[in-house]
């Protein structure tokens, strides 16, 4: 996943709310929908975007899927942003 696509997914407030919830541990889609007062269809849409961006993974628990944040991809984003902040000073 490119940084551009990751940033686009993170630009969405609902996606960020879901990631913030999942950093505390895995949750099923129904629990996410209930906590955020969103429709199951809306949650499924956002979970699919986050999964496509490589920011979460799912684990099967019986008939249910638990979703968990995978924030390792953000290390690349943080490194890129840090490089922007120090870019001009590095050339001097």
């Amino acid at each position: 996943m490119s940084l551009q696509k990751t940033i686009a997914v993170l630009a969405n407030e609902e996606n960020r709310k879901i990631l913030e919830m999942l950093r505390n541990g895995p949750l099923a889609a129904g629990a996410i929908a209930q906590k955020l007062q969103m429709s199951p269809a809306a949650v499924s849409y956002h979970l699919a975007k986050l999964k496509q961006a490589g920011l979460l993974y799912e684990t099967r628990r019986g008939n249910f899927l638990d979703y968990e944040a995978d924030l390792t991809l953000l290390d690349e984003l943080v490194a890129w942003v840090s490089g922007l902040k120090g870019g001009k000073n590095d050339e001097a």
Side-chain angles (χ1 to χ4, degrees), residues 1 4-7 11 13 19-20 24 31 40 45 47-48 50-51 59-60 65 68 70-71 84:
M1 173 71 38
Q4 182 177 353
K5 290 180 182 178
T6 302
I7 291 168
E13 182 179 3
L19 278 180
E20 288 171 12
N24 296 320
Y45 171 82
L47 289 172
L50 289 163
K51 187 176 175 187
T59 305
R60 183 160 294 282
L65 291 174
E68 192 165 354
D70 182 0
L71 304 179
L84 285 177

Side-chain angles (χ1 to χ4, degrees), residues 11-26:
N12 182 281
E13 182 179 3
E14 304 304 331
N15 292 338
R16 291 193 311 270
K17 285 179 184 178
I18 291 171
L19 278 180
E20 288 171 12
M21 288 179 68
L22 294 176
R23 73 177 176 192
N24 296 320

Side-chain angles (χ1 to χ4, degrees), residues 3-4 7 74-87:
L3 283 178
Q4 182 177 353
I7 291 168
L74 295 182
D75 291 338
E76 184 180 345
L77 180 59
V78 169
W80 178 74
V81 170
S82 295
L84 285 177
K85 289 175 63 176

